[in-house]
Amino acid sequence: ETYVASKVKTCEAIGFKSTMVRMEETITEAELVAAIENLNNDADVDGILVQLPLPKQINEERIISLIHPDKDVDGFHPVSVGKLVQGLPTFIPATPYGIMLMLEHYKIETSGKHAVVIGRSNIVGRPMSILLSQNTYPGNCTVTVCHSRTNNLKEICLQADIIVAALGKPGFLKADMVKEGAVVIDVGITRVEDATKKSGFAIKGDVDFDNVAPKCSYITPVPGGVGLMTIGALMMNTYNAATKKD
């Protein structure tokens, strides 16, 4: 809900027309397919986003594959993923794209650096590892992808010049896992109970920020940081989708 509201608000702020289509959790796959086909055929629609995860009765892969590649501003369609792997121009998933834009903006040196990506999701971890290893700037990293079955995670992280934490476990990355001067990018965004907050909860990242930050040359905060860049990158993809038609 937080992410969707932010997308709608940002579209309004920059002058994009956006329409949020809410559907019941009991929706059938056929009904969702029909809704996407209508959007595919609507010339007034430049980008289509399906908010994941979907209800269990719906095949996510089928739904993502139905979105026309020219309107796949989330960058999840198999055509988009294939082009990404080959280094061809395409829609890049918003979170990795936002991180790359951030590295570029702050002129972070990436060439020859060891980047460790914690998490192997199709939304963040895998595309992030591809982008960081490509012969581009930012890029040219030696990339290690870690996940729940990685045995010596701490030792690997201590070798990293750049760490991208994208596993969805609040405060997972501790100070003793990070070497001095590392660049740490926190992709995590988890609601945790917090009695001191008016809302009753706080947003926490995957990094133990207060203890890790003093060791870093750069570190992203949560909230803020990657979350804001994800929205920005999504808007860039949408703008590119619209102008590509002209």
Side-chain angles (χ1 to χ4, degrees), residues 45-205:
V45 174
D46 298 304
I48 302 169
L49 305 167
V50 176
Q51 191 61 47
L52 304 177
L54 293 172
K56 60 182 181 296
Q57 73 272 19
I58 294 176
N59 183 324
E60 284 189 1
E61 289 180 7
R62 183 189 178 202
I63 297 302
I64 289 168
S65 297
L66 278 172
I67 296 170
H68 195 287
D70 290 346
K71 298 187 178 188
D72 172 40
V73 291
D74 257 336
F76 297 159
H77 192 282
V79 169
S80 303
V81 175
K83 287 183 175 180
L84 174 67
V85 171
Q86 292 182 336
L88 299 173
T90 189
F91 295 119
I92 301 169
T95 297
Y97 186 19
I99 291 169
M100 296 296 278
L101 291 170
M102 190 159 43
L103 291 170
E104 183 179 16
H105 177 80
Y106 287 101
K107 299 178 172 61
I108 307 293
E109 183 57 61
T110 58
S111 182
K113 302 298 183 181
H114 184 191
V116 170
V117 179
I118 310 174
R120 54 182 168 184
S121 73
N122 291 332
I123 295 172
V124 181
R126 287 182 179 178
M128 194 75 247
S129 68
I130 293 164
L131 290 166
L132 286 171
S133 67
Q134 285 181 343
N135 185 17
T136 57
Y137 177 76
N140 280 311
C141 291
T142 298
V143 182
T144 303
V145 180
C146 298
H147 44 76
S148 59
R149 300 296 177 90
T150 302
N151 290 323
N152 55 336
L153 181 60
K154 179 179 176 180
E155 289 77 7
I156 293 172
C157 287
L158 283 169
Q159 299 171 26
D161 304 301
I162 300 167
I163 299 177
V164 180
L167 68 163
K169 291 186 178 179
F172 178 87
L173 191 73
K174 307 294 186 187
D176 65 356
M177 301 169 71
V178 180
K179 74 177 184 181
E180 291 287 340
V183 174
V184 173
I185 297 163
D186 192 348
V187 181
I189 178 165
T190 305
R191 278 168 50 141
V192 296
E193 289 185 11
D194 187 339
T196 66
K197 301 286 185 182
K198 187 177 178 181
S199 62
F201 67 88
I203 301 293
K204 296 290 185 183

